[in-house]
Amino acid sequence: MELLIWLIPLLPFIGFLLNVFVIRREREAGLVASGLVAAAFVVTLIAVAMLAGMPPEERRIVSTAWEWINTGSFRVPFAIMFDPLTAVMALLITGVGALIHVYSIGYMHGDPRVVRYFAYLNLFVTMMLFLVMANNLLLLFLGWEGVGLCSFLLIGFWFERKSASAAAVKAFVVNRIGDAAFILAMLAVFAYFGTLNFYGDGAEGQLGFLERVGDIAGLRIGPDWQPIFVSTAISFLLLIGATGKSAQFPLFVWLPDAMAGPTPVSALIHAATMVTGGVYLMARAEPLFVSSFTTQGWVAWIGALTALLAGTAAMAQWDIKRVLAYSTVSQLGFMVAACGMGAYVAAIFHLLTHGIFKALLFLAAGSVIHGTHDTQDMRRMGGLKDAMPTTFRTYVIGALALAGIVPFAGFWSKDEILAHAISHGQTPIFVILFLTSLLTAFYMGRQVALVFFGTQRDPSYHPHESPPVMTVPLVVLAVGATIGGAINLPVLHWLTDWLEPVLHEKAGEFNLWLALIATAGAVGMGYLGWWVYTTNAAKIKIGGKDPAYRYSGDIWEGMEEAWYFDRLYQRTVVAGFERLADFLARVFDPQGVDGLVMGVGRFFGGLANGVRALQTGYVRTYALVFTVGVLIVLGVMLWFAR
């Protein structure tokens, strides 16, 4: 069993090595990369089956490859684990990741750097697997930084485009804020627990810190006039880390710009890797988070406000991928809010279903872009359903799942979060999330209408359906988006029972009235979005304003600009750092650093010039100096001899 679970991250890593050092042809690169990730999915299925055969209380395999760090009391093994939470995450990463790899064979065909692309893609999957399989915070951080590096490489893959390189740098820099908080959290965990392991690995009987959260109960740090609990400090630092990685307020601005990379990369980042890392971290560290009521409140409100803010922004976008990008930020807000309310199973359930239907939507959007010759502006589209029937049908299924229409996967997971909010008295959070779910249905109805209905508004291209290597993954994902909710149906609650040994939650009650109201609202808002933009299709002009701008004006423009947060950061934080850098380069460095170094040189140069005047070359001068010196020495000796 231990050898089997090591194969899961090692198989895509072998693909990375082969594509870097051996393979030089496009066809072999795509086949090897896709085949090894698919093989990792098969191995994961076998490992899950073996795990399911164990008693629930024993469903955790910890395997140590070697002693990674061992200095003094600081001991960190290079160890991975496989438990029910890791299992479902690994299935999502390898399953959806394999389909994205296959899709990329068609989408990236003919790219001059396609071998490098598949190498990066394999490394991305490897690092995400290490993130979810790590048995300690340091190895998790290795995967955490690894996916950050891979996102930088893939977002900026077409680095000759200025927008792509700028987006890659932006993603990398914004995530460093969360990473700094993560490092501080690791230091605090080791300081108070003496280990970074999540769970004990059998060595010297030491337990992991998640098994010893009670050790810091009641401990406080800080000044006497404002102490805070240690559990609050650590969990809040982890929250900041998750906020950066999962693109939550106020660090969400990097994710919409990440659309500058190839569309399969967008699907991988938004569905199966990276942005799910923050939600996974909170679920894994659930004992720490639930020990702090303060942090839980922050988590819930950050998630809810992010969901609403990003949902309104998605309504006003024209770029087909930016709509989905803001939608991802919004849906991640649902997951984070669920964690804040203590509904960790519901958060993971929505993470899994969202991973399926969001991958479907991004890949279908990529099919649209491919079939319209790199067109992303929805004002240039329209009437594509006849030219791209498979893409159209699968896109609609993804849209229905995202909107939360029964019986598609998104309905069951989103409804579980809403039901938990209302049953646990979280009324303000419920109202925000319910309103956001209605907005979600509206902007997906709007997008489907703009892309697939009416007539083609830009006649400069001839749309066509994508090849089977791209449409077959769409069909597979569409099936998953349709039946994926079955993993945690209200009567069966398989996922809840499966995760019970890790998250210790019992199944909640199904709220029929809420389900009916939410479904009716989603259907109504989805139809409204579709109706508004099909009946006003003639008013939509290339480069023009949205028809809704006429009625909402600056509010709509604010939504289109994501409430100007990006512009605010540019004019304050970015501009401030640029001014500081300019001061350091133009004043401090030449006049301060260089002035100090050159000043020392000038001082000794002047001293040397003064001493040089004594070197005349005349014997009489040297005799005079010698005589004066002797007289001075004799005078001193006579003075002390008195």
Side-chain angles (χ1 to χ4, degrees), residues 413-429:
S413 56
K414 194 180 295 184
D415 183 76
E416 192 167 319
I417 296 173
L418 295 174
H420 183 94
I422 202 169
S423 65
H424 286 73
Q426 300 278 359
T427 305
I429 302 294

Side-chain angles (χ1 to χ4, degrees), residues 366-374 384 388 461-466:
S367 180
V368 170
I369 295 168
H370 180 270
T372 58
H373 308 289
D374 292 328
L384 299 181
M388 311 179 72
Y461 60 85
H462 300 285
H464 59 84
E465 185 60 277
S466 299

Side-chain angles (χ1 to χ4, degrees), residues 453-472:
F453 287 86
T455 57
Q456 185 176 331
R457 288 177 286 277
D458 182 0
S460 65
Y461 60 85
H462 300 285
H464 59 84
E465 185 60 277
S466 299
V469 72
M470 295 172 63
T471 56
V472 169

